[in-house]
């Protein structure tokens, strides 16, 4: 972002009303009328501010019938987004809190007038409704699974194992961090079929145990020798056993991922497929799962493979 652009954005954000609008639009997608109701301002004034924010690519709009819904632009230039985020995250103001407190009533009025589902059609996954969360969806769908003996590599503090434990015969969780392993043991202490231990995914020391399912969920970005990981997984899989990989797609945002201790810049489907086949696995599928709305738009790819 050059000096001229930065100056323009800073002038925009010097107006408290525009900061209030951005704070609301970062939380919800709203019409001019709804924003006016929350802010207690006239609609023409709100429209004028929105036009300036849209011109600066800080907000975007979506047409739904006769209405236009505005939201914070999740695809804005990363530097611009970081500037706005730094301001938003450091603000503590009574006026902003009051806006946030008035917002649910305005959303409830919309739902009464139109029906909640109609107002978010085509964009439903971004919006909250009571009890409708990704966690409840995952827990519901997991009831359909029977996973057998599971190995969760780079298992973190055990959140995945907590979801799978009621549906698995056994789970072994491995992570390289003693502190993370201790946290996982506390989380999973009520499950008698879960074993949490410190280990290296490049040299699995499991006493000859083999598994029906091995999980590499965001594990490979922490490896400088991913082929070695695939070789180890193939060694501990039972015949017919499956490997599920989920990892960042290849990117060039080293500065963004370095604070998270990533050892590489992601993978391509071709690269994952080649490593799985070299390890002697049959690849069932490899595809992109998602692309983040916010810059820098990280993609997640997933591979499913099976041991012959």
């Amino acid at each position: 972002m050059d000096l001229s652009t930065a100056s323009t954005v800073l002038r925009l954000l010097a107006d408290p009303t525009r900061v209030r609008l951005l704070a609301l639009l970062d939380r919800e997608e709203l019409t001019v009328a709804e924003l006016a109701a929350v802010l207690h301002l006239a609609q023409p004034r709100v429209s004028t501010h929105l036009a300036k924010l849209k011109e600066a690519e800080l907000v975007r709009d979506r047409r739904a019938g006769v209405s236009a819904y505005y939201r914070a632009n999740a695809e804005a230039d990363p530097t611009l987004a970081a500037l706005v985020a730094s301001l938003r995250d450091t603000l503590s103001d009574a006026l902003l809190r009051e806006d946030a407190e008035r917002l649910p009533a305005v959303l409830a009025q919309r739902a009464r007038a139109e029906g909640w589902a109609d107002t978010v059609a085509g964009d439903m996954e971004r919006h909250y409704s009571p009890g409708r969360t990704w966690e409840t969806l995952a827990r519901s769908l997991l009831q359909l699974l029977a996973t057998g003996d599971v190995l969760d590599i780079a298992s973190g503090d055990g959140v995945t194992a907590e979801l799978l434990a009621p549906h698995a015969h056994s789970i072994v969780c491995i992570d390289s961090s003693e502190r993370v392993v201790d946290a996982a043991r506390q989380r999973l202490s009520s499950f008698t079929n879960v074993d949490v231990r410190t280990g290296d995914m490049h040299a699995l020391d499991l006493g000859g145990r083999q598994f029906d399912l091995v999980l590499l969920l965001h594990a490979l970005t922490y490896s400088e020798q991913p082929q070695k990981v695939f070789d180890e997984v193939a060694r501990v899989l039972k015949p017919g056993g499956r490997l599920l990989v989920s990892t960042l797609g290849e990117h060039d945002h080293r500065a963004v991922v370095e604070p998270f201790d990533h050892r590489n810049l992601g993978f391509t489907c071709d690269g994952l497929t080649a490593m799985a086949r070299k390890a002697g696995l049959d690849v069932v599928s490899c595809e992109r799962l998602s692309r983040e709305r916010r810059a820098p738009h990280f993609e997640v790819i997933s591979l499913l493979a099976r041991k012959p």
Side-chain angles (χ1 to χ4, degrees):
M1 181 167 55
D2 59 28
L3 182 60
S4 175
T5 303
S7 298
T8 300
V9 172
L10 290 172
R11 283 196 297 270
L12 281 172
L13 298 180
D15 187 303
T17 300
R18 292 173 196 146
V19 176
R20 293 171 69 191
L21 285 168
L22 284 173
L24 288 168
L25 295 175
D26 193 56
R27 299 165 67 103
E28 278 291 341
E29 188 179 57
L30 299 163
T31 67
V32 171
E34 290 167 341
L35 288 164
V38 173
L39 299 179
H40 291 170
L41 295 174
Q43 290 190 33
R45 184 177 173 189
V46 170
S47 294
T48 299
H49 286 301
L50 285 173
K52 292 183 181 296
L53 292 171
K54 185 179 176 183
E55 183 180 1
E57 299 185 349
L58 290 171
V59 303
R60 59 190 304 182
D61 60 355
R62 172 180 68 89
R63 286 282 169 183
V66 297
S67 298
Y69 290 87
Y70 291 84
R71 70 169 69 157
N73 184 9
E75 298 182 0
D77 176 87
T79 309
L80 179 60
L83 177 61
V84 175
S86 66
L87 173 64
R88 180 190 64 235
D89 295 343
T90 53
L91 280 175
S92 178
D93 183 81
L95 196 56
L96 292 175
R97 289 193 292 272
E98 290 168 6
D99 290 344
E101 290 167 1
R102 285 192 291 268
L103 179 59
V106 170
L107 293 174
Q109 184 177 359
R110 180 206 294 181
R112 286 192 297 270
E114 303 180 43
W116 177 81
D118 290 339
T119 67
V120 298
D123 203 33
M124 193 173 288
E125 74 277 5
R126 293 188 68 252
H127 297 269
Y128 169 79
S129 67
R132 185 188 177 96
T133 65
W134 287 111
E135 181 185 359
T136 56
L137 176 62
R139 289 184 183 275
S140 296
L141 293 176
L142 281 169
Q143 296 177 79
L144 302 174
L145 299 181
T147 54
D149 296 311
V150 179
L151 173 62
D152 187 3
I153 296 175
S155 54
D157 62 3
V159 64
T160 302
E162 184 183 23
L163 290 171
L164 288 177
H167 316 286
H169 178 260
S170 71
I171 302 180
V172 175
C173 296
I174 288 184
D175 201 279
S176 61
S177 165
E178 289 281 3
R179 180 178 293 182
V180 170
V181 164
D182 287 343
R185 284 180 177 143
Q186 291 182 37
R187 179 195 288 270
L188 300 166
S189 59
S190 63
F191 296 104
T192 58
N193 62 334
V194 179
D195 175 18
V196 184
R197 57 179 78 178
T198 305
D200 180 0
M201 60 182 163
H202 304 89
L204 297 172
D205 183 11
L206 299 167
R209 290 188 64 174
Q210 289 193 306
F211 300 88
D212 299 292
L213 173 64
V214 175
L215 301 175
L216 286 170
L217 304 182
H218 296 284
L220 289 176
T221 49
Y222 295 95
S223 174
E224 293 177 348
Q225 298 176 289
Q227 182 63 59
K228 205 168 183 180
V229 178
F230 274 93
D231 294 342
E232 284 292 280
V233 167
R235 181 176 63 81
V236 301
L237 271 174
K238 296 177 182 178
R242 295 172 297 165
L243 164 65
L244 180 62
V245 177
S246 180
T247 189
L248 284 185
E250 193 173 66
H251 63 87
D252 58 0
H253 304 291
R254 183 177 298 277
V256 178
V257 300
E258 278 183 343
F260 299 93
D261 300 322
H262 286 195
R263 296 291 186 264
N264 58 63
L265 298 181
F267 300 87
T268 64
C269 273
D270 287 345
L272 290 180
T273 297
M275 286 188 285
R277 288 175 175 163
K278 186 175 180 181
L281 303 176
D282 294 334
V283 175
V284 177
S285 64
C286 190
E287 60 186 355
R288 186 182 80 169
L289 292 183
S290 65
R291 182 176 188 269
E292 294 182 359
R293 290 176 180 264
R294 292 184 178 275
H297 311 298
F298 286 117
E299 294 184 346
V300 175
I301 59 176
S302 180
L303 174 136
L304 178 64
R306 188 183 303 272
K307 183 173 181 175

